[in-house]
Amino acid sequence: MTLARLAALHGVATAYSPSAGVTVPVPDATVVRVLAALDVDAATPGALRASLAATEAARDARLLPPTLVLWQDAPREDAPRQGRPSELPRPLAALPPGTDLRITTEHGDEISGTPRWARLPLGVHRLDARARDGRTGQSTLIVAPARVPQPPGRGYGVLVQLYSLLSTRSWGMGDLGDLRELADWAGRTLGAGFVQVNPLHAAVPGTPTDPSPYRPSSRRFPDPVHLRIEDVPEYAYARGEDRAELDALAGRAAELREGVLRKGELIDRDAVWVLKRQALEVLRRVPLGPGRQAALREFRAAQGQALLDHATWCALVERYGADRRQWPEGLRDPRSAATARERDELADRIDFHCRLAWLTDEQLAAAARTAREAGMPVGIVHDLAVGVHPDGADAWARADAFAAGMSVGAPPDAFNARGQDWGLPPWRPDALAATGYAPYRELLRGLLRHAGALRIDHVMGLFRLWWVPGGHEPTEGTYVRYDADAMLAILVLEAHRAGAVVIGEDLGTVEPGVRESLQRRGVLGTSVLWFERDWEGTRRPLPPGTWRADCVATATTHDLPSTAARLTGEHVGLRHRLGLLTRPLDEERAEDAEEVAEWLAYLRELGLLEEGPRDEEAEIRAVYRFLRRTPARMAGVWLPDAVGDRRPQNLPGTWDQYPNWRLPIADAEGRPVTLEDLAASPRLHALMDVLRPSTAPPDARGL
């Protein structure tokens, strides 16, 4: 019981429930390892007793907790007069009489005496308290609006993995120029309200680079591999040898593009970056005009230490390689004297990487601006990965905020008996609280700079994460709880400031109360057609009118089969060829065919399969008619569905057996399709007509 008490005080679970009525105990060894990652020693009985005593003593002596949240929708000063209970945070209501309070706002203003809680400005402030007995306390006070901004009415948009969307101008993979063109065309021609893309976070360099956008080096800064080189303003002013070199690089880029589009080659992010990096080195020799110089200085000043750390890490990787274990020991600490000396020596390279971040930020801003000008009510929906690579820039720059020796994953469930280990170090909840959630605030603010909406992968991680000790199986992990009120308050505050919608990816096992908490704060969920069934009753598909309204409704995701593959059963054959099936092929095919037949019968029953059976394009349109009939605030069209693509972008459970994250969008025969082809595709327009608002130009077809 002593270990359980200590674990509870630090938010570490000693048991979990994979399903209703089932409780699984967590091994004591796991609990001890996780506590150690939080700097709590429970390795011996004596250490355990001492840690428990120290934790309880600190709790009892504490005048204020590290973080307090005030929601604007909570009744406060006027509550007693109206007969409602006060909703001040309990620690404030429980302060000893006569406690002196002082609030320092995030802008440096001071509020003393008895604060008028309901009139405090939005923001992240500091609260200091001094009791009459001499005890003092300090807390981060988060004052947040009630809800995040909402999409204006119902609408639809397209979902795409940006690297997979090549145009005739791409350098071997989709880029921010393609994103801008897609948003412009989809908004003006289709009446689409948004374009949702994969995470554009900076990747860990190396050969080969991990192509997964969900294992980034940094979530704080985007990857310059997404730059459209020709859209860098200095490109137009290159002359002489510089122009010749750029033209030669563009020629080699055309070969990469043609290899993907015409010769069946995979997208090679590393090869693309080699060419773009060389081009950016050339463009750096083109002088910036005075205005451009001022803009760069302003960007560097605004991004501050975070940008300096990121650029320093990039420069160190150039010199010493991506494996930090091979670096000189002093460089493993971003604040060491050795790192400071390297910063001086590498100032030129650090300047280069700061410039790349600025150029990428400019093109992200241009894409967002184009989406708004094209009439998109939401615009670009960016994606926040659940974590970062353990050897990346964020883990180096903010090592104090990450739990050493731990990895984020998922416990065993009905779909994966072994659980999952994603290889991503988790944030320490105690370190976040101690810094006033500075790393989290900085991350959100950076991502929301040019976002009309933000999708949060595994949004349940705002509440708790499954920690797996290094060297252990995922089954030997446990949940660690975060201050969900604080995490949500900061998310709502930053989204409010940016005017951005927030979408939570809440698929899979979700703890009771989580969806309700997210809904209360206006965070939209994610509903995928194939998973929307009456699981507790008939197990039949849910009628469209019973779907939740506060969601983004889709037919599939990047981790699931395309709709064509699902309807034809081709995804079962693919998994069989790769040895991923857990049952005989005939059984899998029979069950899959039964599920598809049930859905098609239901679509016919609802009058949505207008063209009749055995017509693949008609069946896909019927699926999207179904989504249109739900009350979902946003409906997303998986762009490969529009041309009958059979291949998933990512096949969970595979690494080198399948080309995850390296496939271009292709048609039903597997032929890659360019952005220009998409814009002219009769099949695409027939599908979009299902969702297209009646005000869209009926005859517009091309770019």
Side-chain angles (χ1 to χ4, degrees):
M1 289 301 293
T2 302
L3 180 61
R5 284 168 55 198
L6 181 63
L9 288 169
H10 291 279
V12 179
T14 54
Y16 69 97
S17 298
S19 58
V22 177
T23 300
V24 178
V26 174
D28 286 353
T30 295
V31 177
V32 170
R33 283 281 304 275
V34 170
L35 285 170
L38 297 171
D39 297 328
V40 178
D41 187 359
T44 66
L48 174 57
R49 289 191 297 271
S51 293
L52 179 60
T55 301
E56 290 179 333
R59 177 200 59 188
D60 295 342
R62 190 169 56 211
L63 196 60
L64 290 172
T67 307
L68 289 167
V69 173
L70 287 177
W71 294 99
Q72 277 195 336
D73 61 337
R76 289 185 278 271
E77 292 122 326
D78 61 341
R81 293 197 301 272
Q82 297 184 13
R84 296 180 298 182
S86 172
E87 291 190 19
L88 276 178
R90 185 177 300 173
L92 287 178
L95 286 172
T99 298
D100 180 55
L101 298 176
R102 185 177 73 257
I103 295 172
T104 305
T105 72
E106 63 182 13
H107 298 298
D109 300 323
E110 287 198 1
I111 303 170
S112 301
T114 303
R116 302 187 69 178
W117 301 108
R119 297 190 179 181
L120 287 178
L122 296 176
V124 181
H125 315 307
R126 190 181 77 231
L127 173 64
D128 290 281
R130 178 180 291 276
R132 287 179 175 177
D133 60 10
R135 287 184 298 154
T136 62
Q138 187 180 97
S139 182
T140 297
L141 178 64
I142 306 166
V143 183
R147 290 164 61 83
V148 300
Q150 298 296 292
R154 296 181 64 209
Y156 89 101
V158 295
L159 320 176
V160 65
Q161 298 282 293
L162 181 57
Y163 59 83
S164 72
L165 180 67
L166 283 75
S167 70
T168 55
R169 299 174 180 174
S170 307
W171 281 32
M173 61 182 280
D175 59 35
L176 291 172
D178 297 320
L179 175 59
R180 190 182 66 253
E181 197 75 41
L182 173 66
D184 205 11
W185 165 71
R188 296 179 189 278
T189 302
L190 304 178
F194 65 91
V195 174
Q196 179 178 309
V197 296
N198 55 286
L200 304 182
H201 309 321
V204 177
T207 305
T209 300
D210 186 338
S212 171
Y214 292 93
R215 279 174 57 84
S217 163
S218 173
R219 297 185 294 176
R220 177 61 187 83
F221 294 99
D223 199 312
V225 77
H226 299 112
L227 283 169
R228 169 68 63 84
I229 295 298
E230 293 88 343
D231 287 352
V232 175
E234 287 65 45
Y235 187 88
Y237 300 104
R239 298 290 184 268
E241 292 183 1
D242 290 344
R243 170 55 56 194
E245 188 171 350
L246 288 172
D247 289 346
L249 290 168
R252 290 165 59 191
E255 294 175 6
L256 279 181
R257 178 178 62 244
E258 291 305 301
V260 173
L261 295 176
R262 308 290 176 236
K263 300 177 182 178
E265 296 175 3
L266 297 176
I267 292 169
D268 188 340
R269 182 190 182 111
D270 295 331
V272 172
W273 177 234
V274 166
L275 298 181
K276 289 192 176 183
R277 184 181 60 209
Q278 292 178 37
L280 290 163
E281 297 279 10
V282 174
L283 291 176
R284 191 183 179 207
R285 301 197 292 262
V286 180
L288 297 177
R292 298 276 291 160
Q293 290 177 358
L296 175 55
R297 284 195 300 269
E298 184 178 281
F299 177 79
R300 292 187 64 161
Q303 303 307 311
Q305 188 66 47
L307 177 59
L308 179 60
D309 285 341
H310 178 72
T312 300
W313 180 86
C314 292
L316 289 171
V317 167
E318 288 181 339
R319 175 171 284 189
Y320 296 108
D323 186 353
R324 243 183 12 251
R325 292 166 296 185
Q326 304 301 317
W327 291 9
E329 188 170 348
L331 300 183
R332 299 173 196 175
D333 178 2
R335 304 291 169 254
S336 71
T339 300
R341 288 191 297 271
E342 288 279 347
R343 274 201 173 105
D344 290 339
E345 292 183 20
L346 296 172
D348 182 68
R349 298 309 300 164
I350 290 171
D351 176 76
F352 176 67
H353 291 290
C354 287
R355 183 179 295 212
L356 298 191
W358 169 59
L359 293 174
T360 312
D361 184 81
E362 284 193 320
Q363 292 194 9
L364 285 168
R369 185 168 56 250
T370 296
R372 291 193 301 270
E373 292 171 352
M376 288 189 167
V378 174
I380 307 298
V381 182
H382 286 284
D383 198 350
L384 172 61
V386 70
V388 295
H389 197 286
D391 292 328
D394 287 359
W396 174 74
R398 299 305 301 250
D400 57 320
F402 292 95
M406 295 289 143
S407 176
V408 174
D413 57 27
F415 301 99
N416 194 326
R418 296 185 58 192
Q420 300 175 57
D421 182 349
W422 302 330
L424 309 170
W427 264 336
R428 288 179 54 157
D430 58 334
L432 287 177
T435 62
Y437 292 83
Y440 178 51
R441 288 187 280 128
E442 186 179 86
L443 169 63
L444 291 176
R445 198 164 297 176
L447 285 169
L448 289 165
R449 277 172 60 82
H450 308 303
L454 181 65
R455 174 190 180 271
I456 300 180
D457 192 39
H458 193 70
V459 72
M460 295 82 79
L462 299 180
F463 296 77
R464 64 179 185 175
L465 282 172
W466 184 258
W467 288 23
V468 181
H472 287 243
E473 293 296 320
T475 53
E476 300 175 285
T478 190
Y479 279 114
V480 175
R481 191 161 293 281
Y482 293 76
D483 184 341
D485 212 32
M487 300 287 278
L488 269 177
I490 290 168
L491 173 63
V492 172
L493 174 64
E494 295 299 337
H496 168 82
R497 286 170 161 169
V501 176
V502 177
I503 303 159
E505 185 274 293
D506 58 350
L507 303 174
T509 302
V510 182
E511 179 183 16
V514 166
R515 286 196 175 106
E516 292 77 8
S517 295
L518 294 170
Q519 183 182 40
R520 180 182 180 188
R521 299 304 166 197
V523 177
L524 303 182
T526 301
S527 294
V528 178
L529 179 118
W530 305 99
F531 300 154
E532 293 298 310
R533 290 176 171 271
D534 178 13
W535 294 108
E536 297 180 0
T538 64
R539 301 180 73 84
R540 283 180 50 81
L542 286 179
T546 65
W547 281 40
R548 54 181 172 170
D550 298 326
C551 76
V552 177
T554 70
T556 188
T557 74
H558 58 265
D559 283 333
L560 296 173
S562 69
T563 304
R566 175 76 72 170
L567 292 172
T568 59
E570 289 191 22
H571 69 108
V572 177
L574 173 62
R575 292 170 57 231
H576 170 67
R577 292 192 296 275
L578 296 175
L580 299 177
L581 298 183
T582 58
R583 296 181 300 168
L585 176 60
D586 289 346
E587 288 184 24
E588 293 275 359
R589 278 181 169 161
E591 181 177 295
D592 183 71
E594 181 180 355
E595 180 183 3
V596 170
E598 181 182 30
W599 267 105
L600 291 177
Y602 189 43
L603 294 173
R604 284 193 293 272
E605 178 185 328
L606 294 173
L608 300 175
L609 189 50
E610 300 172 358
E611 297 86 346
R614 299 187 181 279
D615 181 334
E616 177 190 305
E617 293 186 41
E619 291 170 352
I620 293 175
R621 289 195 291 271
V623 165
Y624 282 96
R625 288 191 187 102
F626 182 97
L627 296 182
R628 182 68 171 169
R629 189 172 287 190
T630 73
R633 300 291 298 277
M634 297 168 68
V637 178
W638 177 236
L639 198 54
D641 275 355
V643 288
D645 199 344
R646 299 292 202 268
R647 304 174 300 181
Q649 283 294 314
N650 178 52
L651 189 58
T654 63
W655 176 242
D656 56 1
Q657 308 98 312
Y658 184 80
N660 296 319
W661 318 112
R662 289 173 287 172
L663 293 171
I665 295 177
D667 63 17
E669 284 71 44
R671 293 187 297 262
V673 176
T674 66
L675 174 56
E676 292 84 358
D677 294 335
L678 282 164
S681 167
R683 178 169 179 163
L684 178 144
H685 284 279
L687 175 60
M688 296 304 181
D689 283 343
V690 168
L691 297 167
R692 187 193 310 237
S694 58
T695 55
D699 298 324
R701 286 296 183 265
L703 281 171

